[in-house]
């Protein structure tokens, strides 16, 4: 379905505005990422008529895929760590997740390899994990047990409690401060791991997880050690078809709720009138109206670009610039020919740790330097899902954390991309995939420049705002915007944060905040017509279909669109009243706040203080 099919024009097509004549409260979701699709599912289950606009050609956002030369490359998340949040989402919509998605548990979850030849293999079950710890450093086993207990405690408070409810009220955050203090949330993930184990390899293995959500392990709050408990309790899973299969299934659920996902359509602006979000303006000029607007775009893009014409109280450009952003990502997707039987020791996930840990992290997050050494995350989905590549072939993606583009001297990826690719290739051939150079059959490369262009991510950051302690919970962009009523946020840039469990939980929080659709008043205020009038000059009277102008304060110059109106139009443009009058027949009308349709009033000049309080056209009730 194209955007032109869905956004019906106002009466004759002159403005492209949807007047909300269909029954039911309407919601617009900006972005078809996993968080946006989850929000659309939740809203559809509540009874909203949902329209999702997305600028990409496939749903999923960062979780979408590219098919090239017979290879399917999963662009973003590769694993599912908390399948219960998906099952709960499907259940809220009356569906069964396991009937729509083929989810496979991985064993092992991943393997970490260090330059000295040692390795740590993460497997299902506490006994298997303890055996690995005992093999590497037997003396650290008691401290590791304490670390697992700490992670479980933080899971119940950080994920099941704070992560599943809104933190937009300061008092809710203040009430949580004593528990934060008791759990020493002021410590970093690495510091907490270092207090439990002595072996540097184990410290890295227990503290690198914040990198999966864009955080510096040496600065991110120790609350995020809960990820270790997520892996142990729920396992690590892979969806056949990749996260793209999950996104496609979510789109199907939305369609079953009479919702619509429109691809290839970019939202240019969120329309605000009288302090309330009323709809969106699309990049090609048309306007779509709704009762609530949900942005799954990056929070920084939402406030700096989509609300650029609206005066902001908190999330100003200056405030956004002062935030610490997550690192950028270099991602190399490639397919290899005839390698299905090669590299038998390389599993689904492999982490190649570089010679430095803390120093490399400092270069990435604080110095903004593209270091010569690197740590790589290697994804080989063809081990579990042969359909990602032609028979006998493999598909890979290799990820390297790099600085984002917001540092004083950002990396020039136009000149550095090929050099860095060669360096990555050398590391892979030396440590993991010998002979790779001659086997590459297809490739795609993403850099922070790609993230900025494709995903509209500020500074090309891979995971939006970094989840530091003063950029989490209440300090993070709220799920209900403080800048405009009726505007909500989901996704990685808002509470609770990045990662598949985080963005799915943000939609769950949204479900607790949005009003019941039966209580939403679907009516159009005069301010909305300002956007149409400024663009087209005139629209039409809903009764006579003749040209009409709208009484907005200096919205339309009277000498341009109604030269014969004289003093009447001049008076209207200087008086912000809520009535509208046809230029030719002088019929006055307003909008019924109950039915969302135009109401007729007597003809003749309208006084500035006149108001219509009763609908005399359809519902015959007071509005």
């Amino acid at each position: 379905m194209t955007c032109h099919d869905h956004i019906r024009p106002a009466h004759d097509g002159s403005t492209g505005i949807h007047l909300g004549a269909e029954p039911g409260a309407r919601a617009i979701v900006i972005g078809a990422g996993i968080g946006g699709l989850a929000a659309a599912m939740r809203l559809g289950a509540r009874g909203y008529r949902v329209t999702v606009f997305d600028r990409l050609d496939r749903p999923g956002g960062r979780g979408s895929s590219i098919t090239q030369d017979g290879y399917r490359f999963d662009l973003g998340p590769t694993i599912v760590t908390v399948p219960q949040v998906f099952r709960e989402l499907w259940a809220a919509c009356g569906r069964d997740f396991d009937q729509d998605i083929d989810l496979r548990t991985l064993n092992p979850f991943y393997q970490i390899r260090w330059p000295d030849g040692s390795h740590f293999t993460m497997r299902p079950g506490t006994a298997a994990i303890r055996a690995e710890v005992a093999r590497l450093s037997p003396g650290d086993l008691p401290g590791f047990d304490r670390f697992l207990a700490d992670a479980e405690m933080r899971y119940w408070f950080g994920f099941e409690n704070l992560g599943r409810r809104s933190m937009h009220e300061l008092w809710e955050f203040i009430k949580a401060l004593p528990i934060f203090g008791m759990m020493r949330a002021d410590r970093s993930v690495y510091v907490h791991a270092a207090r439990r184990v002595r072996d540097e390899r184990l410290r890295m293995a227990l503290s690198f997880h914040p990198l999966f959500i864009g955080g510096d392990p040496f600065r991110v709050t120790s609350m995020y050690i809960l990820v270790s408990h997520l892996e142990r309790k729920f396992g690590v899973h892979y969806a056949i078809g990749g996260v793209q299969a999950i996104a496609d299934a979510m789109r199907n659920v939305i369609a079953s709720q009479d919702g619509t996902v429109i691809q290839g359509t970019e939202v240019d602006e969120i329309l605000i009138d009288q302090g309330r979000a009323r709809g969106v303006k699309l990049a090609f000029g048309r306007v779509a109206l709704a009762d609530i607007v949900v942005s799954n775009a990056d929070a920084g893009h939402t406030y700096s670009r989509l609300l650029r014409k609206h005066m902001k109280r908190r999330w100003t450009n200056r405030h956004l610039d002062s935030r610490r952003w997550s690192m950028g990502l270099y991602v190399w997707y490639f397919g290899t020919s005839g390698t299905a039987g090669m590299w038998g020791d390389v599993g689904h996930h492999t982490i190649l740790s570089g010679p430095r840990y803390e120093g490399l992290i400092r270069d990435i997050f604080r110095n903004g330097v593209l270091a010569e050494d690197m740590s790589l995350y290697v994804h080989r989905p063809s081990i579990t899902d042969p359909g990602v590549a032609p028979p006998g072939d493999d598909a890979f993606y290799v990820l390297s954390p790099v600085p984002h583009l917001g540092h004083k001297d950002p990396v020039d990826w136009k000149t550095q991309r090929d050099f860095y690719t060669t360096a990555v290739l050398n590391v892979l051939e030396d440590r993991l995939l010998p002979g790779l150079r001659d086997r590459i059959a297809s490739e795609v490369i993403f850099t922070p420049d790609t993230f900025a262009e494709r995903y509209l991510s500020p500074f090309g950051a891979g995971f939006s705002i970094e989840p530091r302690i003063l950029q989490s919970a209440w300090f993070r962009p709220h799920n209900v915007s403080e800048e405009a009523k009726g505007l909500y946020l989901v996704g990685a840039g808002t509470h609770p944060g990045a990662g598949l469990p985080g963005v799915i939980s943000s939609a769950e929080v949204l479900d607790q905040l949005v009003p019941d659709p039966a209580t939403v008043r679907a009516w159009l205020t005069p301010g909305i017509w300002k956007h149409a009038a400024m663009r087209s000059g005139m629209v039409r009277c809903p009764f006579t279909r003749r040209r009409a102008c709208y009484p907005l304060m200096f919205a339309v110059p009277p000498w341009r669109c109604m030269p014969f109106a004289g003093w009447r139009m001049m008076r209207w443009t200087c008086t912000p009243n809520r009535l509208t009058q046809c230029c030719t027949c002088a019929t006055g009308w307003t909008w019924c706040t109950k039915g969302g349709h135009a109401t007729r009033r007597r003809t003749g000049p309208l006084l500035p203080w006149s108001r219509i309080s009763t609908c005399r056209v359809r519902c015959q009730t007071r509005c």
Side-chain angles (χ1 to χ4, degrees), residues 78-83 103-106 234-239 349:
T78 62
I79 58 176
V80 177
T81 52
V82 192
L103 202 63
R104 307 283 180 88
T105 301
L106 300 181
F234 301 106
V236 174
H237 310 268
Y238 174 81
H349 296 110

Side-chain angles (χ1 to χ4, degrees), residues 401-575:
V402 295
H404 62 64
L405 303 176
H407 295 281
K408 293 182 179 180
D409 187 17
V411 178
D412 183 1
W413 284 102
K414 292 182 176 61
T415 60
Q416 294 296 322
R417 194 189 78 160
D418 292 341
F419 292 106
Y420 200 74
T421 301
T422 302
V424 172
L425 177 60
N426 292 335
V427 172
L428 291 175
E429 285 197 316
D430 292 342
R431 297 185 54 187
L432 191 69
L433 306 172
L436 170 64
R437 193 183 309 266
D438 299 326
R439 296 286 184 170
I440 296 176
S442 181
E443 64 178 350
V444 178
I445 297 176
F446 278 18
T447 68
D449 288 341
T450 314
F451 278 76
E453 178 183 354
R454 178 180 176 89
Y455 304 124
L456 304 178
S457 178
F459 308 118
F463 304 91
S464 190
I465 297 175
E466 186 184 357
R468 295 190 177 194
I469 188 169
L470 294 182
Q471 296 186 161
S472 300
W474 181 83
F475 298 100
R476 205 165 182 82
H478 299 159
N479 303 94
V480 53
S481 176
E482 55 268 74
E483 305 297 349
K485 296 179 180 178
L487 176 61
Y488 302 88
L489 277 69
V490 294
T494 185
H495 176 72
L500 288 181
V503 299
I504 295 294
S505 296
S506 72
E508 182 180 353
V509 174
L510 168 76
D511 194 20
Q512 304 165 15
L513 297 173
V514 295
D516 189 87
T519 65
V520 175
R521 303 202 311 170
W523 64 295
L524 307 182
T525 63
I528 285 299
W529 296 108
K530 176 178 180 180
H531 301 275
M534 292 180 67
R535 188 173 66 253
S536 61
M538 298 184 190
V539 290
R540 291 185 182 270
C541 171
F543 302 106
T544 65
R545 302 300 174 88
R546 296 173 179 172
R547 291 291 182 182
C549 296
Y550 292 89
L552 297 166
M553 187 178 295
F554 302 107
V556 184
W559 55 86
R560 283 185 52 193
C561 56
M562 202 172 96
F564 51 88
W567 63 271
R568 183 181 302 162
M569 188 61 196
M570 179 65 74
R571 184 177 184 182
W572 286 357
T573 54
C574 297
T575 307

